[in-house]
């Protein structure tokens, strides 16, 4: 299974950040898979943002819940992340990762079966 994040590298404050995770080697609807978004801001640890399950169930982390939206496009085998009203504090490397169990808030790398390489997003005017 391979995961590839993509999206704009630079976003202006107050805009909406949209990222895509393209999945190969497995279907986003494959039973029991959870597709998570995790980010790492400069000088900070990993932060779990949320996940979508193979059946479309969506789970959000408490810190960003009000600004985060996760969805999937089964025709393209992609998972998307939208983060609204971004600020410079949202500057981070954004990762998608997958596992066959959901542990909300999990950021330990070995709890996931596969990770993307991450995509850098900078929020700046």
């Amino acid at each position: 299974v391979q995961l590839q994040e993509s999206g704009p590298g630079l976003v202006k404050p107050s805009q909406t950040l949209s990222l895509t995770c393209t999945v190969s080697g497995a279907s986003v609807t494959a039973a029991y898979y959870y597709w998570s978004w995790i980010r790492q801001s400069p000088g900070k640890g990993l932060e779990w943002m949320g996940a979508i399950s193979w059946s479309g169930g969506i789970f959000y982390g408490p810190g960003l819940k009000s600004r985060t939206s996760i969805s999937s496009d089964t025709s393209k085998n992609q998972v998307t992340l939208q983060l609204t009203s971004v600020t410079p504090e949202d500057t981070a490397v954004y990762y998608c990762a997958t596992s066959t169990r959901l542990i909300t808030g999990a950021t330990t790398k070995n709890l996931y079966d596969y990770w993307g390489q991450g995509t850098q997003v900078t929020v700046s005017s």
Side-chain angles (χ1 to χ4, degrees), residues 9-17 39-44 47 64 67 83-94 120-125:
L10 179 65
V11 183
K12 295 184 185 303
S14 81
Q15 290 185 340
T16 295
L17 166 66
R39 71 179 187 179
Q40 184 162 27
S41 302
K44 298 183 181 179
E47 179 179 18
L64 298 168
R67 298 195 291 126
L83 183 65
T84 63
S85 303
V86 298
T87 73
E89 292 188 347
D90 294 310
T91 294
V93 178
Y94 288 76
Q120 173 70 49
V121 175
T122 299
V123 180
S124 175
S125 56

Side-chain angles (χ1 to χ4, degrees), residues 6-64:
S6 60
L10 179 65
V11 183
K12 295 184 185 303
S14 81
Q15 290 185 340
T16 295
L17 166 66
S18 295
L19 297 176
T20 299
C21 176
T22 301
V23 179
S24 58
S27 169
V28 296
T29 60
Y32 312 122
Y33 273 86
Y34 295 87
W35 308 91
S36 294
W37 284 98
I38 297 162
R39 71 179 187 179
Q40 184 162 27
S41 302
K44 298 183 181 179
L46 294 165
E47 179 179 18
W48 187 80
M49 301 180 70
I52 186 167
S53 75
W54 78 96
S55 59
I58 301 173
F59 311 85
Y60 293 113
L64 298 168

Side-chain angles (χ1 to χ4, degrees), residues 85-106:
S85 303
V86 298
T87 73
E89 292 188 347
D90 294 310
T91 294
V93 178
Y94 288 76
Y95 299 93
C96 60
T98 189
S99 62
T100 52
R101 56 179 176 171
L102 177 68
I103 304 174
T104 56

